[in-house]
Amino acid sequence: MDGSTSRVSPNPTLQRVNNSVLEGMGQLASYFGFNKVMGQLFGALLLSPVALSLDDLMELLGISKASVSTNMRTLEHMGIVREVWVKDDRRKYYRAESDFWRILTNVLSSRELRDVNQALRVLEDNAEHLQQSLSDMNERDRELAEFYIQRIAQLQDFFRLAQLLLISLIQHAQEQPDVGDIKRIDFE
C-alpha cells in the first residue's frame, strides 16, 4: 500500500475491529443478495482515511486483481464507490461513498424498485391472461384459474405496498434526514 495511513494499524484492537467490520460487511452484502467481496471492498474503503488502489485492495483482502476490478466496477456503477484522482499516479484509486442516504437511494431505485415493478408487471400480465382465458376453460379449470386470480391479487397487493414503501423511502432519503432525529414513521 502506498501511504502508511492506508495500512491497517499493527494495533491488535484496530486490526480486530477492521477484520470484524470487513467480515460483517461481506456477510451483510451476501444477505442482501450481493457478492461477499463487494461488501468487503466497500468496508475496506469505508475504513480507509485515504483512497486505495486496486492493488491496495487486492493486498488488503487477499483476493485476485480480477475479482477486485470486476467488483469495483459494479460498486462504482451502483454509486457505492467512486474513482478519485491521485496526483502523479496513473493507477485507479477509489473512495467509498460515505453519504449513506445516497447509497440507499441508488440501491433502492436501481435494483429493488426495478424488481418490484417487474414483479407487478408479471403478475398483471398473468392475471389478465387468466381473465381472458376463463371462457375457454372447463368448470374445473375455471375454478382453479379463479383461485389463481385470487392469489395473484393478494401478491399484487403485497407488491404494491412494497412499491409504495420503496418510493416513500427513496423520496425521504433524497431529503437526507438526520436518522438520529427519526423517532417514528407514520403510515396512512
Side-chain angles (χ1 to χ4, degrees):
M1 292 193 201
D2 300 308
S4 61
T5 56
S6 66
R7 294 192 178 135
V8 177
S9 170
N11 178 294
T13 300
L14 290 172
Q15 284 181 350
R16 197 171 21 259
V17 168
N18 185 280
N19 291 340
S20 177
V21 170
L22 296 185
E23 185 60 30
M25 293 300 289
Q27 290 174 357
L28 191 61
S30 291
Y31 176 79
F32 284 105
F34 296 104
N35 177 321
K36 178 180 178 178
V37 171
M38 290 171 70
Q40 292 175 322
L41 288 166
F42 175 71
L45 289 168
L46 189 65
L47 293 181
S48 178
V50 298
L52 298 177
S53 70
L54 297 177
D55 291 329
D56 294 335
L57 291 163
M58 182 180 76
E59 180 185 323
L60 182 66
L61 298 177
I63 57 177
S64 72
K65 192 166 189 174
S67 179
V68 172
S69 180
T70 300
N71 285 292
M72 289 303 291
R73 273 195 306 273
T74 302
L75 288 169
E76 189 175 16
H77 182 266
M78 294 170 65
I80 295 174
V81 303
R82 64 185 182 286
E83 188 176 344
V84 296
W85 178 76
V86 173
K87 186 177 180 180
D88 298 326
D89 199 330
R90 293 175 26 166
R91 293 180 295 168
K92 289 184 174 189
Y93 282 82
Y94 294 90
R95 282 197 173 280
E97 174 59 65
S98 59
D99 181 343
F100 298 115
W101 286 115
R102 180 173 288 158
I103 292 171
L104 180 68
T105 302
N106 289 345
V107 172
L108 291 180
S109 59
S110 70
R111 188 181 95 151
E112 309 306 326
L113 186 57
R114 181 195 66 221
D115 291 350
V116 166
N117 288 337
Q118 175 63 26
L120 277 168
R121 280 191 295 277
V122 167
L123 292 169
E124 185 177 307
D125 289 348
N126 283 307
E128 185 178 315
H129 184 69
L130 283 170
Q131 285 289 354
Q132 292 172 353
S133 301
L134 283 174
S135 62
D136 298 333
M137 295 181 186
N138 63 39
E139 185 177 337
R140 185 171 161 212
D141 288 344
R142 196 170 27 255
E143 286 176 12
L144 184 57
E146 288 170 355
F147 177 78
Y148 282 8
I149 290 169
Q150 263 185 318
R151 294 302 171 124
I152 289 172
Q154 290 174 323
L155 285 169
Q156 287 174 303
D157 288 344
F158 175 77
F159 279 104
R160 283 188 195 105
L161 174 62
Q163 183 184 50
L164 178 66
L165 292 171
L166 287 169
I167 289 169
S168 177
L169 190 54
I170 290 167
Q171 288 171 343
H172 283 34
Q174 289 170 341
E175 297 166 9
Q176 298 191 339
D178 182 352
V179 291
D181 292 340
I182 298 173
K183 302 295 183 239
R184 83 181 236 188
I185 299 173
D186 293 321
F187 294 99
E188 293 179 23

